[in-house]
């Protein structure tokens, strides 16, 4: 058997010993306070971002590019793994979590600004981003290098996913939608692992956000006002 899987099982044993009694209150139902839509990048530790070790507290949804969009025969809709807790568990907060240096955003940028190809399943996921990022790529300043362009598009992508949630008739009006960027590459500061709030209910102006939310003003920043 693959040694990496054996190691995973050993780590799970440690988890079971530490967490066994933490499931007592949530064995039969869940009522998470938030659904987070994270990129499935292995460097994005979805629960650890929030220092969460409480089962049932956060409904974590992950995919490449932290997308809320799912394509159906009826067109684009909010993905079921994001929508489920908003409709069925009483969750009233959705947080879209982008991250610096996102590979999915990078692939979308490369695909829309040049030639790129990949396996069909990956291309399908990238295409779901592409239709929403094309205008952002067109708006990028000409003097940006590739790294800076990608990190600005990370913000643009988060904004588009927030917008899609807010405009969907399927998302209850009572749901608050927030967009953030998880930084482990020293893009916003040297405090690796911090989350920067870039969008609250569609508001993206940094000063307006800081004035409206002084309790988290030091965590509100963005790279690009477009």
């Amino acid at each position: 058997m693959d040694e990496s899987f054996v190691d995973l099982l050993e780590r799970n044993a440690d988890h079971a010993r530490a967490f066994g009694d933490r499931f007592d209150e949530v064995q039969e139902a869940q009522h998470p306070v938030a659904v987070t839509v994270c990129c499935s990048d292995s460097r994005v530790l979805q629960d650890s971002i929030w220092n969460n070790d409480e089962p049932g507290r956060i409904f974590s949804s992950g995919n490449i590019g932290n997308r809320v969009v799912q394509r159906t025969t009826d067109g684009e809709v909010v993905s079921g793994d994001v929508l489920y807790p908003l409709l069925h568990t009483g969750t009233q907060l959705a947080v879209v979590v982008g991250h610096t240096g996102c590979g999915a955003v990078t692939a979308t940028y490369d695909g829309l600004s040049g030639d790129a190809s990949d396996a069909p399943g990956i291309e399908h996921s990238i295409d779901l981003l592409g239709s929403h990022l094309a205008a952002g790529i067109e708006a990028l300043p000409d003097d940006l290098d590739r790294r800076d362009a990608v990190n600005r598009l990370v913000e643009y992508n988060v904004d588009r996913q927030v917008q899609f949630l807010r405009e969907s008739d399927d998302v209850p009006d009572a749901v608050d939608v927030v967009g953030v960027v998880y930084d482990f590459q020293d893009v916003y500061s040297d405090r690796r692992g911090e989350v920067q709030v870039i969008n609250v209910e569609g508001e993206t102006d940094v000063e307006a956000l800081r004035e409206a939310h002084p309790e988290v003003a030091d965590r509100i920043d963005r790279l690009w006002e477009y």
Side-chain angles (χ1 to χ4, degrees):
M1 181 173 286
D2 189 296
E3 291 184 4
S4 295
F5 183 65
V6 174
D7 178 64
L8 288 175
L9 288 178
E10 291 174 351
R11 289 169 180 261
N12 172 253
D14 293 337
H15 165 80
R17 283 189 289 270
F19 277 71
D21 60 357
R22 300 186 196 185
F23 293 96
D24 291 348
E25 303 300 321
V26 295
Q27 283 184 302
E28 305 301 329
Q30 60 173 324
H31 301 285
V33 299
V35 54
T36 60
V37 189
C38 300
C39 187
S40 51
D41 190 298
S42 64
R43 298 165 294 181
V44 180
L45 306 176
Q46 296 190 27
D47 277 288
S48 293
I49 287 175
W50 317 109
N51 199 28
N52 178 56
D53 62 1
E54 182 181 339
R57 180 170 177 78
I58 297 176
F59 194 105
S60 298
S61 174
N63 57 66
I64 60 172
N66 42 273
R67 292 172 284 102
V68 305
V69 179
Q70 180 176 346
R71 189 169 292 155
T72 72
T73 55
D74 295 323
E76 291 186 342
V77 298
V78 175
S79 180
D81 53 351
V82 179
L83 196 58
Y84 178 83
L86 302 178
L87 295 182
H88 297 292
T89 70
T91 304
Q92 295 189 332
L93 172 63
V95 184
V96 178
V97 185
H99 71 91
T100 51
C102 179
V105 171
T106 300
T108 304
Y109 173 69
D110 290 342
L112 291 177
S113 59
D115 294 324
S117 62
D118 214 315
I122 296 175
E123 287 194 342
H124 173 76
S125 296
I126 297 305
D127 183 55
L128 286 172
L129 285 181
S131 60
H132 296 268
L133 298 191
I137 291 174
E138 288 294 324
L140 286 170
D142 293 333
D143 59 348
L144 289 180
D145 62 24
R146 186 166 177 266
R147 181 176 187 268
D148 287 342
V150 166
N151 283 321
R152 279 155 179 76
L153 286 174
V154 164
E155 293 183 343
Y156 189 86
N157 180 41
V158 169
D159 290 339
R160 299 289 70 75
Q161 306 306 316
V162 168
Q163 180 183 18
F164 196 83
L165 285 174
R166 296 186 69 244
E167 292 180 352
S168 171
D169 292 335
D170 293 327
V171 175
D173 291 340
V175 172
D176 292 325
V177 186
V178 177
V180 306
V181 176
Y182 178 59
D183 181 17
F184 51 78
Q185 295 183 327
D186 306 321
V187 172
Y188 293 86
S189 73
D190 60 0
R191 301 185 299 275
R192 291 180 185 171
E194 270 198 357
V195 160
Q196 295 295 329
V197 179
I198 67 164
N199 188 317
V200 178
E201 288 293 300
E203 178 60 70
T204 62
D205 180 78
V206 170
E207 292 309 316
L209 286 171
R210 287 174 178 169
E211 182 176 351
H213 308 282
E215 69 278 16
V216 294
D218 63 331
R219 303 296 293 278
I220 295 172
D221 199 3
R222 64 181 298 135
L223 305 171
W224 192 28
E225 297 288 351
Y226 47 84

